[in-house]
Amino acid sequence: MVMHRQPARQDARRPAARLVQAGVAVALSVAALASAGCSRRPPSGTPDGAVRELVARLRQLHGDPADAKAAFELLSRRARDNLASRAQRYSAATGKAIAPEAMITPSRFRLRFEPQRYSAQIAGAHALVDIAGLLPGERVQVPCVYEDAGWRVDVALPALPPVQKRPGSDL
């Protein structure tokens, strides 16, 4: 009995299989690119997005250092530096090292009203985000600044007073 090989058919199937595989690969690539293009902007992509995200993160803040770090990252360099100075002063006074984001305490954050609308007025690298509530008197403007490739909330924290020294002390 003579067995016949059919190399022509197998060879004909391989290019077709490769074509199908290539088509699937192209379709998957296009789908991946489309989903990447349609993904949400990061919260710091717009000033109102940064403020909205900061409010959401501060609401979640219940003493967890990771939550405090997430909120801290949305603050402007000026606000972060202020909190770092406060943490350094606290650490020096108590002898316990404390991270700057730990200076954001949950007990100090309380909304005056429930935000309903956020709108931003942008002027170069600065913006004012207008937050409005339900009632006419429920309105506040929050300054933002564009730095580190994103919008940051520029919370105005009071300046630290100078360190007081006892007369005649070398400290």
Side-chain angles (χ1 to χ4, degrees):
M1 180 171 182
V2 177
M3 296 184 81
H4 293 286
R5 264 176 67 185
Q6 297 177 354
R9 257 190 216 167
Q10 287 177 351
D11 291 343
R13 287 184 192 162
R14 285 188 183 167
R18 286 184 186 151
L19 186 60
V20 169
Q21 287 175 347
V24 168
V26 168
L28 289 174
S29 298
V30 169
L33 288 174
S35 67
C38 296
S39 63
R40 285 184 45 207
R41 270 189 187 178
S44 62
T46 62
D48 50 318
V51 172
R52 185 185 317 261
E53 186 67 19
L54 181 64
V55 168
R57 289 180 184 183
L58 288 174
R59 282 182 168 168
Q60 294 174 348
L61 190 64
H62 296 295
D64 183 5
D67 291 338
K69 180 88 171 157
F72 184 79
E73 291 170 354
L74 287 171
L75 296 176
S76 68
R77 189 175 304 116
R78 181 176 67 139
R80 290 190 314 259
D81 289 347
N82 185 299
L83 290 174
S85 297
R86 291 172 185 278
Q88 184 179 21
R89 189 176 286 189
Y90 176 86
S91 297
T94 64
K96 289 185 345 183
I98 186 169
E101 60 268 13
M103 298 304 294
I104 304 172
T105 58
S107 61
R108 298 301 240 170
F109 175 73
R110 194 178 89 225
L111 289 175
R112 292 187 309 194
F113 59 88
E114 188 63 35
Q116 299 297 312
R117 289 180 313 280
Y118 295 80
S119 61
Q121 300 167 3
I122 302 171
H126 297 278
L128 274 178
V129 176
D130 189 50
I131 305 173
L134 286 174
L135 302 174
E138 296 179 337
R139 179 170 244 104
V140 68
Q141 287 188 325
V142 178
C144 292
V145 63
Y146 191 83
E147 58 188 24
D148 302 327
W151 287 98
R152 305 287 181 249
V153 181
D154 195 23
V155 177
L157 298 169
L160 283 170
V163 176
Q164 296 182 356
K165 298 178 183 178
R166 291 185 187 161
S169 72
D170 293 337
L171 300 176

